[in-house]
Amino acid sequence: MVPRTSVHLASYAAAAESGKLSSILVAPRPNYGSLEKFLKNDCKSGKIHIKDAVGHFDNMLHMQPPPPTSSFNLFLGAVAKTKHYEDVISMYYRMVAINYSTDFITLNILINSFCSLKQVGFGFAVLGGILKRGYSPNVVTITSLIKGLLVEKKINEAVRLFKKMVELGYRPHIKTWGTLINGLCRTGNSERALLLHQEMSKGNVLFGVPFRPNLISYSMIIDGLCKEGLVDKAVKVFLDMKEKRIYPDVVVYCSLVHGLSDAGKWEEAKAFFNEMVDQGIRPNVVTFNVLINALCKEGKIEEASRLLDLMVQRGEKPDSFTYNTLMDGFCLEGKVDNARHLFVSMAAKGEERDVISYNILINGYCKCGRIDDGWSLYKEMLQKDYKPTVITFNTLLTALFREGKVGDAQELFGEMQRCGVTPNSSTFNILLDGFCKNNCLAEAMELIQLLEKTGHELTIEIFNCVIDGLCKGGKLEDATKLFVSLYPKGLVPTVVTYSIMIHGFCKNGQLEKANNLFLEMEKKGCFPNVVTFNTIMRGFCDNNDAPQVVDLLQKMAEKHISPDLSTISLVVELLSKDGKFYEYLNLIPTFSTRSDEK
DNA sequence: GTAGGGTTAG
């Protein structure tokens, strides 16, 4: 066991420099002076590079006598700040493996690393270790665990832990509140975060603890609301913030401009942008990126390009986001050659391409049917040592299936796993959808079974896709079997699932079954939408059951479901049936939307 | 020495 030492590093440095330690030092001779400089300057300011970190760690680990645990904590904390949590964890275990001493802080850093990697279970295991070693968890420990629960979307457990900590007499730190609010916002619970925030700003003491909202808490909520598409609410919160004399900065404006332009409220977005400039807040590279992205999504690629020129003129250096966004903008317009040109010029302008640049361009090629060009880019990225991501593979798989190249897709899926890239739920959706659309239903069923066996969480969307494939492949019985197996699996059919099944029954002439399902879904609390209505009405229409269609149209009107183009063409068809135009015309209801009624 | 904020891709 390496003895724990309280001797400060400076004395090591002094001893080393005076040469007194030279006889016991192992080669290569450690440089305590430079270690201390490294810890104090680079680690504290967070300016370390992961590539150097591993080397420093090796040096530290083999110094004789060993640096104190606090130096390792400083170092591990700095590595954690670079978000290389896997490295933190492996370094911790290397310390443990040689019996190096660790302390409470080391364990807190370890918990935070596990929690940030969505491994809250391991986080709690480390908590067990903390207690076993006789330490007491502190606010930092619990804050990390709350974050861990939140990133795994265990919202109620996180709130419960928060309440528990207050009950136990811990005073949440401002960062604890921040973690809770941020976690809620990032998991699509911004409104819940907002309620919490409002309670706090009223000066109400929540869970016995006062808290004053600040720029950061407002910023997280405004951004969260924007991301959930609740932009009007976000604007209200923004105004409320200003009323409280908390002054928005470039970040808050950026969130708002982004949210509003994503919601298509381009004029409002522009107004906030102008307000920001009027306030003397300088747009930064991120602001420009958001604007460029908005223009690209609007199809205004020329304007977006001009904005790039403008930002360069203003001395704001475009980054990889800027180029990637513009590249994607070109691809969206089908101008993949322009995107390629940008891709080439990026390197010339000294901007490093990244995996995302490749993904965007590969996607651009695949979308316009130039799958071979996409493929050779994939080969190029491998050759240049860029590690393809799950998105790279998903993009190529989608394209291969669309071209009907099932064998190539299967081969690529194998390659993906050999590369160590873990498929995600989109990958499985693509595979299942691809199998179904290419009439490989046996493969689809086999994959479903494999996924279930390996404990993959299968979503209702995946089943929708397979059930649809089975229906369209004429295997209605298998589809029905799969449909009824959903409930025991704990999956709730959605309006899409019902619509697929209803479509299947209708196509098979089993209108009674279709209608029963249609009636049943509502009883189960799943309400038909315009697609469901169109589907079943189409069934009755094709079966020359006009009264049923009329009946359903009336139901649809009662439910204030707006007809779409399919509905209209159905009605036209109905009116031309049996020469009973006028008879049916009188029965067609008037549709109104809820907003009409107000 | 450890815990909280904004932009891009399938």
Side-chain angles (χ1 to χ4, degrees):
Chain A
M1 172 105 183
V2 176
R4 234 172 122 166
T5 171
S6 59
V7 181
H8 193 268
L9 272 174
S11 51
Y12 284 84
E17 267 157 34
S18 68
K20 280 181 194 158
L21 281 173
S22 58
S23 57
I24 58 163
L25 291 179
V26 290
R29 187 182 157 173
N31 187 338
Y32 291 103
S34 83
L35 171 64
E36 190 175 34
K37 211 170 121 198
F38 168 69
L39 290 172
K40 280 212 168 144
N41 297 339
D42 300 354
C43 289
K44 278 204 173 160
S45 63
K47 280 186 298 189
I48 66 164
H49 288 285
I50 191 66
K51 279 178 193 161
D52 313 326
V54 179
H56 279 292
F57 181 75
D58 284 334
N59 288 338
M60 283 170 74
L61 212 52
H62 295 111
M63 283 178 180
Q64 279 305 336
T69 305
S70 61
S71 299
F72 276 96
N73 291 341
L74 196 54
F75 174 77
L76 291 177
V79 179
K81 281 236 161 53
T82 67
K83 304 200 171 176
H84 287 86
Y85 301 111
E86 292 97 338
D87 293 298
V88 174
I89 293 166
S90 73
M91 287 173 189
Y92 170 83
Y93 284 110
R94 283 183 61 196
M95 288 171 74
V96 172
I98 59 166
N99 284 329
Y100 210 104
S101 72
T102 59
D103 64 11
F104 175 60
I105 303 286
T106 328
L107 295 172
N108 268 354
I109 296 171
L110 185 66
I111 288 188
N112 188 45
S113 299
F114 276 127
C115 288
S116 304
L117 289 170
K118 296 191 181 187
Q119 302 272 10
V120 71
F122 289 125
F124 277 100
V126 179
L127 175 67
I130 284 181
L131 297 170
K132 224 189 231 167
R133 286 171 63 171
Y135 297 122
S136 297
N138 64 6
V139 178
V140 178
T141 323
I142 300 172
T143 301
S144 293
L145 289 168
I146 289 174
K147 170 168 139 191
L149 290 168
L150 287 165
V151 298
E152 288 191 20
K153 304 201 176 186
K154 296 175 174 166
I155 310 299
N156 293 329
E157 283 182 57
V159 175
R160 225 179 295 145
L161 179 58
F162 183 86
K163 287 184 184 173
K164 187 86 194 159
M165 97 184 246
V166 177
E167 268 170 40
L168 290 171
Y170 290 98
R171 279 187 81 80
H173 186 271
I174 181 143
K175 291 190 180 183
T176 316
W177 288 105
T179 302
L180 191 59
I181 290 176
N182 182 35
L184 288 171
C185 291
R186 293 208 158 195
T187 48
N189 294 284
S190 299
E191 289 186 288
R192 195 163 168 179
L194 178 60
L195 284 176
L196 204 77
H197 203 246
Q198 281 165 343
E199 282 299 309
M200 294 186 282
S201 42
K202 269 187 229 150
N204 285 359
V205 174
L206 201 73
F207 308 137
V209 184
F211 170 82
R212 189 185 291 276
N214 57 24
L215 178 62
I216 294 179
S217 61
Y218 268 110
S219 172
M220 293 188 284
I221 289 174
I222 290 169
D223 188 58
L225 289 170
C226 284
K227 291 223 167 79
E228 287 177 47
L230 304 166
V231 281
D232 296 333
K233 218 165 209 175
V235 171
K236 268 191 203 153
V237 176
F238 177 79
L239 297 175
D240 171 58
M241 177 180 99
K242 284 206 290 193
E243 224 166 77
K244 293 209 164 58
R245 295 181 184 280
I246 295 172
Y247 299 106
D249 65 353
V250 64
V251 176
V252 181
Y253 275 110
C254 194
S255 287
L256 262 188
V257 171
H258 181 230
L260 286 165
S261 44
D262 265 7
K265 303 195 170 185
W266 189 227
E267 287 306 316
E268 265 188 85
K270 254 198 275 190
F272 277 111
F273 175 74
N274 290 333
E275 180 185 309
M276 180 182 97
V277 177
D278 288 345
Q279 299 286 320
I281 300 170
R282 243 181 96 91
N284 62 15
V285 57
V286 182
T287 322
F288 277 109
N289 289 346
V290 166
L291 294 172
I292 289 174
N293 182 44
L295 287 167
C296 286
K297 295 283 150 37
E298 285 264 297
K300 295 175 177 166
I301 187 75
E302 283 84 10
E303 280 184 56
S305 301
R306 278 204 295 277
L307 208 51
L308 170 69
D309 298 334
L310 182 72
M311 74 186 276
V312 173
Q313 270 174 34
R314 294 188 46 137
E316 206 62 65
K317 193 178 177 300
D319 61 8
S320 61
F321 280 90
T322 323
Y323 289 109
N324 287 343
T325 305
L326 262 175
M327 272 170 55
D328 193 52
F330 278 121
C331 290
L332 275 171
E333 295 282 289
K335 295 174 174 171
V336 63
D337 292 319
N338 293 55
R340 176 91 199 200
H341 185 253
L342 210 56
F343 182 76
V344 173
S345 71
M346 256 176 105
K349 291 193 174 111
E351 189 51 57
E352 193 81 38
R353 294 169 190 164
D354 56 22
V355 183
I356 296 175
S357 323
Y358 276 96
N359 286 349
I360 290 169
L361 205 49
I362 291 173
N363 182 47
Y365 280 126
C366 287
K367 282 273 157 67
C368 67
R370 289 164 66 177
I371 185 164
D372 291 339
D373 288 320
W375 188 258
S376 51
L377 259 181
Y378 164 67
K379 288 289 171 199
E380 181 186 310
M381 72 189 285
L382 289 182
Q383 199 194 352
K384 294 195 171 167
D385 234 19
Y386 288 95
K387 209 173 151 2
T389 65
V390 62
I391 293 173
T392 321
F393 288 106
N394 287 353
T395 306
L396 288 165
L397 286 169
T398 306
L400 290 169
F401 275 118
R402 207 183 39 223
E403 303 261 309
K405 295 177 173 172
V406 179
D408 290 347
Q410 282 172 307
E411 206 170 295
L412 186 64
F413 182 60
E415 193 165 311
M416 169 177 185
Q417 284 159 308
R418 284 193 294 280
C419 289
V421 176
T422 315
N424 62 14
S425 62
S426 294
T427 319
F428 295 125
N429 272 328
I430 292 163
L431 287 171
L432 289 166
D433 185 63
F435 284 140
C436 291
K437 296 237 163 81
N438 286 287
N439 218 11
C440 303
L441 295 169
E443 281 84 349
M445 291 306 290
E446 199 186 324
L447 183 57
I448 282 263
Q449 277 155 13
L450 182 77
L451 290 172
E452 283 185 329
K453 230 188 269 169
T454 48
H456 271 89
E457 206 176 292
L458 292 175
T459 59
I460 186 67
E461 285 75 22
I462 286 186
F463 281 99
N464 287 347
C465 165
V466 179
I467 292 172
D468 192 38
L470 289 167
C471 285
K472 289 188 174 137
K475 304 199 166 179
L476 196 56
E477 263 182 46
D478 290 329
T480 312
K481 259 191 228 160
L482 209 54
F483 177 73
V484 296
S485 78
L486 292 175
Y487 189 73
K489 291 189 216 292
L491 286 167
V492 182
T494 65
V495 59
V496 177
T497 327
Y498 282 108
S499 302
I500 289 168
M501 283 306 298
I502 289 169
H503 185 248
F505 284 131
C506 286
K507 278 277 162 258
N508 210 33
Q510 296 175 277
L511 281 152
E512 209 182 312
K513 280 195 180 173
N515 201 35
N516 285 342
L517 201 57
F518 182 77
L519 297 172
E520 186 189 309
M521 65 186 282
E522 209 166 332
K523 280 188 205 142
K524 295 215 166 140
C526 180
F527 300 101
N529 62 16
V530 60
V531 178
T532 329
F533 270 101
N534 288 342
T535 308
I536 191 151
M537 290 192 297
R538 168 60 53 198
F540 281 120
C541 189
D542 289 350
N543 207 39
N544 297 315
D545 195 342
Q548 278 279 17
V549 180
V550 173
D551 194 40
L552 283 160
L553 275 171
Q554 282 164 352
K555 263 194 197 150
M556 205 174 148
E558 279 165 26
K559 289 178 190 292
H560 305 280
I561 296 169
S562 309
D564 65 4
L565 284 175
S566 298
T567 325
I568 291 163
S569 84
L570 227 137
V571 170
V572 170
E573 212 177 306
L574 180 78
L575 292 173
S576 63
K577 266 191 194 294
D578 320 326
K580 294 184 180 172
F581 181 86
Y582 289 104
E583 189 182 321
Y584 291 144
L585 187 63
N586 290 328
L587 296 169
I588 306 292
T590 312
F591 283 90
S592 69
T593 59
R594 293 217 186 266
S595 53
D596 289 340
E597 287 179 355
K598 276 182 197 164

